[in-house]
Amino acid sequence: MSHPFDPGYVAEPFLTLCADYPEASVYPPNQFRLEWGPIFHRGRLDGSARVLVIGQDPAQHETVIRRTLVGEAGRRVQGFLAKLGITRRYVFINTYLYSVYGNVKAKTRKDATLIDYRNRWLNALLVGRQVEAVLALGQAADEAWQFWTATPAAQSVSVGYAAVTHPTQPESSSKGDKTKLAGATKKLLQNWNVALQALSPHVQHVDVPIPLGLYGERWSDGDRVAIPEFDVPAGLPAWMHEQDGWAKRTGVDALAKRRNITITVPKGIVT
Amino acid sequence: MSHPFDPGYVAEPFLTLCADYPEASVYPPNQFRLEWGPIFHRGRLDGSARVLVIGQDPAQHETVIRRTLVGEAGRRVQGFLAKLGITRRYVFINTYLYSVYGNVKAKTRKDATLIDYRNRWLNALLVGRQVEAVLALGQAADEAWQFWTATPAAQSVSVGYAAVTHPTQPESSSKGDKTKLAGATKKLLQNWNVALQALSPHVQHVDVPIPLGLYGERWSDGDRVAIPEFDVPAGLPAWMHEQDGWAKRTGVDALAKRRNITITVPKGIVT
């Protein structure tokens, strides 16, 4: 059985972007988990991407795999892309290189160095490339997009654009209340349906031609799609990209939690 | 500050070797931790390597970083290479792709598919390449080398060779007994001194010209060398390659331990 993998950062400008990146002077350690290092992207860097997704920040699964949006949020977006017929021609970056710790201050969000570095990624992925649609997840990603569209380089680029509710907003906003969760999920799916309809006409070069199917009022089978093996580094076991919930931050206090990632192989793998 | 990183598997035959590798039919799950996936190499795959190191199997730090010999054993070998003047022109592979669980049975060690796959790596790294010396760590690696030298492809290759005591053999053989540990360490360093003297004349193209310095009776400052940043994937935090002991297998029983890797950021990083 062959295991295709993501070759990573093999050509410019990505080699330089992944060697020279903003650190603590740009990303304050009281707002970001710098200690785990930056996480840059997921998906195609070879110019074949037709859809660009801008997420917010990496979490613990992303930290282990060293690719963005590989946990539950990523699976939901993977399902969104599949509804557009996009199963491979995509690329993801995040608004922030590091995992957010607490809240990001306005001053940090608007830091010129932070924005310039991110704009270099957006230039690399969009200027003179084939991307047809851009999807922003959450407010920070939408703001990142607005900052970029105001740059001179962006003026040559014409793509469809939609900003949607962040994929795990229902969970974070409902704090364990099942009724609230159902309501927030319904609202998110309505919001995502609007985005599907807005982006679909722009996405002309799909991987799998498929009639546009919309979301119902709750997640259905097939709405969440596993991360493909060809998106992750060589040699990673299947459960890392097929499953979620195997990495947790544990500890007796906030500092211990911040210093910890516990990886547990899902049940049924070791027999 | 620039952060050089290892580009990984970007050209043949390594692309194929890292996509098509032996799995459970070759590496029995009762002898290997297949659940964490294979770990292939560390160091130069671009033909610049002058020394090839064959280790035994990856452990938990290697599993997180996805490169071989990045923990304590790797640091000791890194120090050995430095004594030869080799700080960059090296490449490491392991005898086994997966972490050994318990003992490897003779039948597995001699499995033709297992040996053939490993020989494809050795061919890729040695035949028509510039390697001048090969170092085998422990008996399994020595046996791997003997299997390869018996192949037709090996007949065209002439290199210096030394098989040494495995770098963490003193710890594993002394089981917490400090006197035994000191004795085993002294013996290992004597053994490594013999290898240094045997290999040194073969290693003609060094990174840093340096007179051959031998080990004393115990580890000294400088005998253990941190893994360079340019050996690990993009974005990894410095503590992952500069420090050791940050990854542990924990759990209440053997199965829980087997399913777990707990990563803890070393003290002093998060402040």
Side-chain angles (χ1 to χ4, degrees), chain A residues 64 240 263, chain B residues 33 36 39 41-42 57-75 94 99 168 227 231-233 236 238-249 260-266:
Chain A
V64 175
M240 279 196 179
I263 310 172
Chain B
R33 302 175 198 267
W36 296 96
I39 292 144
H41 106 295
R42 175 162 70 86
D57 67 309
Q60 65 271 29
H61 294 90
E62 287 76 13
T63 301
V64 175
I65 293 186
R66 311 307 299 189
R67 292 293 183 271
T68 61
L69 284 146
V70 294
E72 179 61 17
R75 305 158 71 78
N94 274 329
S99 180
T168 53
I227 309 307
D231 275 10
V232 302
L236 291 198
W239 54 266
M240 280 197 180
H241 58 90
E242 286 176 358
Q243 299 192 41
D244 189 43
W246 47 262
K248 293 199 180 347
R249 302 191 198 272
N260 176 271
I261 292 180
T262 293
I263 310 173
T264 306
V265 178

Side-chain angles (χ1 to χ4, degrees), chain B residues 132-248:
Chain B
E132 297 169 329
V134 174
L135 178 71
L137 310 175
Q139 291 176 4
D142 184 34
E143 186 180 71
W145 178 251
Q146 305 307 334
F147 279 128
W148 182 74
T149 55
T151 64
Q155 306 317 309
S156 67
V157 174
S158 170
V159 292
Y161 176 72
V164 293
T165 306
H166 190 276
T168 53
Q169 183 274 344
E171 282 74 10
S172 51
S173 67
S174 59
K175 297 180 196 299
D177 181 324
K178 286 192 178 177
T179 311
K180 279 191 187 171
L181 177 63
T185 299
K186 182 179 167 184
K187 223 172 138 185
L188 173 137
L189 295 173
Q190 288 169 342
N191 172 273
W192 283 26
N193 278 338
V194 173
L196 278 176
Q197 291 166 306
L199 294 184
S200 178
H202 294 275
V203 183
Q204 294 291 319
H205 296 81
V206 301
D207 296 299
V208 183
I210 188 176
L212 185 65
L214 298 180
Y215 293 99
E217 298 198 343
R218 61 183 71 85
W219 296 110
S220 300
D221 287 349
D223 284 347
R224 286 175 282 193
V225 172
I227 309 307
E229 191 168 33
F230 55 69
D231 275 10
V232 302
L236 291 198
W239 54 266
M240 280 197 180
H241 58 90
E242 286 176 358
Q243 299 192 41
D244 189 43
W246 47 262
K248 293 199 180 347

